Amino acid sequence: MISRLLFDYDARYNFNKYLPVIESIYDNECSDYANIPEKFKGNDLLVFQRVLAQIRKQTHTINPLLLKLENDLIEKAAERGSRDALSTLSFMALEGKGEGWSEEDKTTAKSYIKELMELEHPLTFKLAADRELKGYTDSLERKCAESNDTPNDDLIPTFDLSFSTITESPKQLGRAISLYEHFLSLDSRSTIAAAAHRSLGMIYFRTQQLGKSKEHFEKAVELAPSTDNPQAHFFLGLLNETDPLVARYHFQMAASEGFRESFANLGYLELNVFNDLYKSREWFALGAELGVPECIVGLFDVAMRKKDYRKARAIVEKAERQGVSNLLKEVRKDSVELAISEADRIIEVAEEPQARQQSNPRRKSTRWDL
């Protein structure tokens, strides 16, 4: 996996070249004696940090030691003159990621960010946009928790691209868009540009500007490998609902990277559009194994489509044992009742001849009985 990610990120060195350097940094995390050859530039170290971050994201695991190694790589990269690393480190200080950030560090980080923006450093604008978007999302969640009012999103782009403190204002969304677009005007072809397109795609999807959303997700898929883009593929699947073949392709790409939400969509595409009950059941079964409640509903729907009421009832009972039957009973209430009653009837019909035979015993059969 590491070798593939290094290739995807256009690393200058292969894993065998990186290994002794990474081991040296890992073994000397508390000192400045890491043996890093001069030929390794700051951005080379930053590439490996991105690889570790991607592995952490794909495996859904956080190893504290590897997380510390990521931070060390960023620091070493900044020491070697990487502006990307300096920008990343500055935003980490502002957001309090990691340990030991003082108020003086945060003040210094702000000054670095302002200087980098004046130098038109691309990544700084992207990270500033991420920060604005996160601040807007956090404030939106707080407002929604306090009231049921629908927020009024102000998407008018701003021309103020300087560094600012996050404020609870709907104008943040417009500011985030402006910062992303400015970043893309400086860097339009990198995998980081793909991340900016994904964020813009999400913003426009949320605000029902589906044409723009689709355009940005398509650019994200074009610029970065599928390992970086399961979310983009998933939303492209939703946005291509009028073309089932294209939708299925994008959902499959998302599912191949373990994007949980895609399994139910794939199952229902196979069930309702392509009428392939076998494939539908396979996708639902995979999703159910990952704990997706909608896939349990899908398995129930497949059984009902086959009129296999005993199987349908077994799915309901298993869902009850696992404590995930609420959604199934809520969205398929009538079907669940039908499945249970039909399954009981089938069992009664099957048991009736046996009961009659027991109540009216016949003579022992022989080989001559025809």
Side-chain angles (χ1 to χ4, degrees), residues 81-234:
S82 169
R83 288 181 176 176
D84 284 356
L86 178 60
S87 180
T88 303
L89 208 58
S90 298
F91 279 99
M92 286 174 62
L94 282 184
E95 295 167 12
K97 292 182 178 178
E99 299 177 355
W101 299 112
S102 64
E103 289 302 318
E104 184 179 353
D105 291 332
K106 293 181 180 181
T107 302
T108 304
K110 289 181 181 180
S111 65
Y112 279 140
I113 291 170
K114 289 180 180 179
E115 290 177 13
L116 289 168
M117 282 186 161
E118 290 171 0
L119 293 171
E120 292 284 278
H121 178 248
L123 182 61
T124 305
F125 287 97
K126 194 266 181 186
L127 294 177
D130 290 343
R131 190 164 184 263
E132 291 284 350
L133 183 58
K134 183 179 184 301
Y136 171 79
T137 304
D138 291 346
S139 65
L140 185 64
E141 289 176 354
R142 288 195 296 272
K143 288 177 182 177
C144 289
E146 294 169 1
S147 68
N148 295 323
D149 296 336
T150 302
N152 180 22
D153 298 327
D154 187 351
L155 294 181
I156 300 174
T158 67
F159 295 98
D160 177 19
L161 299 177
S162 61
F163 176 74
S164 70
T165 303
I166 296 297
T167 57
E168 293 186 14
S169 167
K171 291 187 180 296
Q172 282 181 299
L173 205 53
R175 179 176 167 78
I177 292 172
S178 297
L179 288 165
Y180 280 129
E181 289 178 345
H182 189 72
F183 161 74
L184 290 171
S185 71
L186 300 172
D187 178 3
S188 61
R189 301 301 304 171
S190 69
T191 53
I192 299 176
H197 281 298
R198 282 196 301 275
S199 296
L200 285 169
M202 285 298 301
I203 290 172
Y204 288 125
F205 186 88
R206 181 189 178 283
T207 54
Q208 297 298 302
Q209 299 185 55
L210 302 184
K212 287 184 176 181
S213 177
K214 183 178 179 181
E215 179 183 342
H216 282 291
F217 282 132
E218 286 175 343
K219 288 181 179 177
V221 168
E222 177 188 339
L223 292 173
S226 60
T227 51
D228 280 1
N229 273 316
Q231 186 186 54
H233 279 294
F234 174 74

Side-chain angles (χ1 to χ4, degrees), residues 11-136:
R12 295 198 306 153
Y13 303 106
N14 60 28
F15 179 61
N16 289 333
K17 296 286 186 181
Y18 267 109
L19 186 58
V21 176
I22 301 304
E23 286 179 340
S24 179
I25 295 173
Y26 183 83
D27 293 337
N28 295 278
E29 61 174 322
C30 297
S31 67
D32 296 326
Y33 297 108
N35 183 21
I36 306 174
E38 287 298 323
K39 65 180 181 179
F40 269 80
K41 306 300 181 184
N43 284 340
D44 295 325
L45 299 177
L46 205 58
V47 165
F48 203 87
Q49 182 272 328
R50 288 185 61 202
V51 168
L52 293 177
Q54 185 62 31
I55 292 173
R56 171 165 47 84
K57 186 187 301 183
Q58 288 184 27
T59 57
H60 305 287
T61 57
I62 297 178
N63 185 318
L65 296 177
L66 291 181
L67 196 60
K68 178 68 169 61
L69 176 60
E70 285 185 44
N71 294 336
D72 289 343
L73 284 168
I74 295 172
E75 289 184 14
K76 297 294 184 186
E79 291 172 3
R80 292 194 163 228
S82 169
R83 288 181 176 176
D84 284 356
L86 178 60
S87 180
T88 303
L89 208 58
S90 298
F91 279 99
M92 286 174 62
L94 282 184
E95 295 167 12
K97 292 182 178 178
E99 299 177 355
W101 299 112
S102 64
E103 289 302 318
E104 184 179 353
D105 291 332
K106 293 181 180 181
T107 302
T108 304
K110 289 181 181 180
S111 65
Y112 279 140
I113 291 170
K114 289 180 180 179
E115 290 177 13
L116 289 168
M117 282 186 161
E118 290 171 0
L119 293 171
E120 292 284 278
H121 178 248
L123 182 61
T124 305
F125 287 97
K126 194 266 181 186
L127 294 177
D130 290 343
R131 190 164 184 263
E132 291 284 350
L133 183 58
K134 183 179 184 301
Y136 171 79

